[in-house]
């Protein structure tokens, strides 16, 4: 059966939905160890339909790198020079 309940009638509805969405449709992490120029990132989002964004953790500038979607759960990011330890923040968002 179908029941209709407005969001305002459910305690903490928006927070619960945001938490669920974030854990199932987004992934973030810090990258870099000072020596690797290619880094595999396992996001476990179950699709190759992901947007990948990178930024510098020091100055917050956007970082451009090559991204390969290896599997539905992993991407590999390649840089021209190795990022410093935890120097890059990766943001991965599921699109579909």
């Amino acid at each position: 059966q179908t029941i209709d309940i407005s969001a305002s009638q459910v305690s903490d509805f928006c927070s619960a939905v945001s938490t669920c969405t974030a854990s199932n449709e987004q992934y973030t992490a810090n990258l870099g160890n000072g020596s690797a120029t290619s880094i595999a990132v396992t996001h476990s989002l179950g699709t190759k339909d992901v947007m990948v964004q990178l930024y510098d953790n020091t100055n917050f500038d956007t970082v451009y790198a090559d991204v390969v979607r290896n599997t539905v759960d992993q991407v590999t990011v390649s840089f021209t020079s190795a990022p410093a330890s935890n120097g890059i923040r990766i943001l991965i968002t599921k699109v579909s």
Side-chain angles (χ1 to χ4, degrees):
Q1 281 193 328
T2 302
I3 53 174
D4 292 320
I5 301 172
S6 67
S8 63
Q9 293 176 309
V10 180
S11 174
D12 209 19
F13 177 80
C14 291
S15 177
V17 169
S18 293
T19 300
C20 180
T21 300
S23 66
N24 293 314
E25 300 196 7
Q26 300 172 37
Y27 176 84
T28 60
N30 291 325
L31 303 180
N33 63 8
S35 62
T37 57
S38 183
I39 302 168
V41 178
T42 302
H43 55 71
S44 302
L45 295 175
T47 183
K48 287 186 177 184
D49 293 338
V50 294
M51 291 187 300
V52 179
Q53 296 179 318
L54 304 156
Y55 69 85
D56 186 296
N57 268 333
T58 302
N59 60 21
F60 306 103
D61 286 346
T62 298
V63 172
Y64 297 97
D66 290 326
V67 176
V68 175
R69 289 159 180 84
N70 305 324
T71 69
V72 297
D73 291 320
Q74 185 184 72
V75 298
T76 294
V77 184
S78 298
F79 303 91
T80 54
S81 59
S85 181
N86 294 318
I88 303 295
R89 185 79 170 161
I90 188 168
L91 314 170
I92 303 176
T93 305
K94 182 177 178 178
V95 176
S96 60

